[in-house]
Amino acid sequence: MIKTDIAAQTPQQPGASASNSGSNSASAISRRGVFALAGASAAIAATPAAAHSFGIGFTHSVASGEPHADNVLLWTRYAGDGETTLGWQVSESAEFTSIVSDGEVTASPARDFCAKAIASGLAPNRWYFFRFIAPDGTVSPVGRTRTLPRGSAHKFRLAVFSCANFGFGYFNAYAHAAEANDVDLAVHLGDYIYEYGGGTYPSEGQRHPDRTLEPATEILAVADYRLRYATYRADTDLQRLHQVLPMIAVWDDHETANDSWKDGAQNHQSETEGDWEVRKAAAKQVYREWMPVSDEPYAAYDVGDLATLFRIDTRIEGREEQFSLSKLLEGKESPEAMVSALTAFRDGDYADPQRQLLGEAQEAWLTQGLSASTARGATWQVLVQQVLMGKLASPPALLDLLGGNVPEFIRRRLQASAMASRAGLPLNMDAWDGYPAARDRTFKGALEADANLLVLAGDTHNAWAFNLAHEGEKVGVEFGVSSVSSPGFETYLAMVPPPQMAQLVVDANEELQWADTSQRGYMTIELTPERATTEYRFLAGIRQRSTQLAGTKVITVEAGSNMLTA
């Protein structure tokens, strides 16, 4: 049975005390200090107009990422007349009375004036402050970061985010996480930006009037991607999150183009938008310029003896093209013809034992990493990745509930999904569900490693909790996070009350234990040697800036159980 804690909450106010204590907690840095840090960069993006003119000097505050026990990556952007050599410093105090690591880095127009440095020689499991200094003595906003534990670790907390579409509304989830000040690390599972032009997604009718994208067109080239990141990163709440927490980030599809795979994307038309490899290379380059990330496509992070976090790429490193149920059913007029086509597909191409999602090299790396993690005694093996791993089929009863007021294109899609479900096929071919052999191989590796597998997923804009199984064996659990601002089922299937919608989906899927299909937010995960506890935090809205919560839900898994428990 799932442990729950659902309650309306009011936002915590600046200056309120944190619930955690001790050197391992974010509260080891005072809230006064955190809010002083946040305020230092707030003026940069206080108005919508700031997103269109980024000025000179330190234009986008600071960020950090890629934490390890003795080093962390530092990021800033300094726009000058040309190449500028910046100094950087790391200290245990916000006053920088004692410098523990320092160096120089170049902000160059070749990298859109973004600069990254590795601060090494740091102590494990410790909060630090950092800053950059320009040649004229100008100092960047002060950032806060922390290193990962080494050896014995008793608690570590993550804040997990996904799917932040600038045009739909404010990034209140980021603001709440920075204000709550109760985690050690931010984790972003992708769709950090969206590639669409203005009026596409969101449409003009959906777009928040104060959230205007630059450039106004779909982004294709290096200059386009750079301007889009500059627009997103001018957001006050996103800046504040980066300023006070280190981040581990993975890209999903919208950092390149919708429903991307290694050789193309649904939202890339080569005849009018050029070569896919050129666009993909531009997107990857700019992501690595603007984000506090390394250039490695996948990586592992040891959280002492508590966990190993595996940052993996399920999107463009090794993914083969997604299957399309709509294409499969094209020209099939009768139910009999549709069922026949779906059955042949299920037993044929869909079951291909060689089909790849991660690619052979990454898959082998992950399998070896899971074994190495358990061999060194780590309690948890956590997959930091993009798309749902749990099995999810469309509820067959859904279409009957919608009545006659459903647009025809939605009705056709739901009919196809319902028929696929009856044929034993999943709802979403863009997730692990579309790559069952790759999922089976990963599950087999986790079982052979005797892993405590904890899978994090984004992408869907809704919240999920799964028990994961392989050939009757419990293999782990999955927590799917809601979106920061992108709309969920409540937008597309508004005629079904959200509680009823969520219950329909849960009832139709054996592995799925809980779902929320209508709220925006993020989740925190607390790892201890005994259990992993996830708290889903749902914001009251995104149309106004606010950190008020509409409610929370807590779900726990005991170490060694590989299933959600009371």
Side-chain angles (χ1 to χ4, degrees), residues 370 442-451 469-471 473-476 562:
L370 291 171
T442 300
F443 282 171
K444 185 172 182 285
L447 288 170
E448 290 176 348
D450 194 24
H470 175 67
E471 296 180 348
E473 291 189 73
K474 295 178 291 186
V475 70
N562 279 335

Side-chain angles (χ1 to χ4, degrees), residues 111-441:
R111 293 185 61 83
D112 203 19
F113 299 101
C114 297
K116 294 193 288 189
I118 301 295
S120 58
L122 306 179
N125 201 30
R126 189 167 299 180
W127 287 103
Y128 288 99
F129 296 90
F130 67 96
R131 65 185 180 185
F132 292 83
I133 304 172
D136 64 359
T138 303
V139 179
S140 73
V142 174
R144 186 187 69 163
T145 191
R146 77 169 287 138
T147 50
L148 300 183
R150 177 181 285 144
S152 179
H154 303 293
K155 182 172 67 174
F156 197 80
R157 290 175 57 83
L158 317 173
V160 184
F161 308 90
S162 178
C163 302
N165 189 305
F166 187 89
F168 277 105
Y170 291 112
F171 295 158
N172 291 333
Y174 296 152
H176 186 276
E179 181 179 290
N181 189 33
D182 61 358
V183 300
D184 304 301
L185 176 69
V187 173
H188 205 292
L189 303 180
D191 293 346
Y192 182 98
I193 65 162
Y194 282 72
E195 83 280 14
Y196 299 111
T200 302
Y201 184 71
S203 67
E204 280 302 323
Q206 295 171 317
R207 182 181 70 82
H208 191 290
D210 294 334
R211 306 282 279 180
T212 302
L213 279 178
E214 292 291 340
T217 57
E218 183 176 337
I219 52 177
L220 300 171
V222 167
D224 301 333
Y225 282 96
R226 284 173 169 173
L227 184 53
R228 186 61 56 86
Y229 276 96
T231 301
Y232 270 67
R233 289 291 297 274
D235 180 87
T236 308
D237 298 316
L238 180 50
Q239 283 195 8
R240 180 165 49 194
L241 181 75
H242 275 301
Q243 192 180 3
V244 300
L245 287 173
M247 179 180 284
I248 292 174
V250 297
W251 54 47
D252 196 15
D253 53 340
H254 291 291
E255 286 87 348
T256 49
N258 182 57
D259 286 358
S260 53
W261 54 292
K262 64 185 178 68
D263 296 324
Q266 176 275 330
N267 191 32
H268 181 79
Q269 290 70 48
S270 297
E271 62 276 10
T272 58
E273 296 175 333
D275 185 86
W276 167 250
E277 290 299 323
V278 173
R279 182 179 187 177
K280 182 171 71 170
K284 291 168 71 172
Q285 173 190 325
V286 177
Y287 181 86
R288 288 167 173 163
E289 289 171 352
W290 274 86
M291 296 291 288
V293 298
S294 75
D295 290 350
E296 297 300 322
Y298 41 88
Y301 311 82
D302 292 335
V303 186
D305 61 3
L306 190 57
T308 305
L309 310 181
F310 295 94
R311 170 172 63 81
I312 62 176
D313 181 359
T314 65
R315 181 53 64 183
I316 56 177
E317 180 68 16
R319 176 194 280 250
E320 297 180 35
E321 186 174 8
Q322 303 91 326
F323 291 126
S324 169
L325 290 178
S326 60
K327 289 182 180 178
L328 186 68
L329 295 177
E330 280 180 1
K332 310 296 189 298
E333 299 297 333
S334 68
E336 294 77 12
M338 292 181 183
V339 170
S340 177
L342 290 168
T343 303
F345 165 70
R346 181 198 65 202
D347 298 335
D349 290 345
Y350 181 66
D352 179 359
Q354 301 304 316
R355 187 158 163 77
Q356 296 290 331
L357 180 65
L358 302 178
E360 291 183 5
Q362 183 180 195
E363 190 174 281
W365 170 87
L366 177 59
T367 299
Q368 293 166 3
L370 291 171
S371 294
S373 177
T374 57
R376 73 177 182 84
T379 303
W380 300 98
Q381 289 68 46
V382 183
L383 301 192
V384 176
Q385 57 95 58
Q386 300 87 337
V387 294
L388 282 183
M389 188 172 265
K391 298 179 180 67
L392 189 66
S394 176
L398 178 59
L399 196 60
D400 297 333
L401 291 175
L402 299 181
N405 296 324
V406 184
E408 184 58 28
F409 79 95
I410 292 181
R411 178 173 294 279
R412 287 197 301 269
R413 290 180 185 177
L414 292 175
Q415 285 174 333
S417 296
M419 296 194 74
S421 178
R422 294 188 184 101
L425 291 167
L427 172 66
N428 183 10
M429 290 289 177
D430 190 52
W432 283 85
D433 259 341
Y435 304 80
R439 178 171 56 196
D440 287 346
R441 293 191 298 269

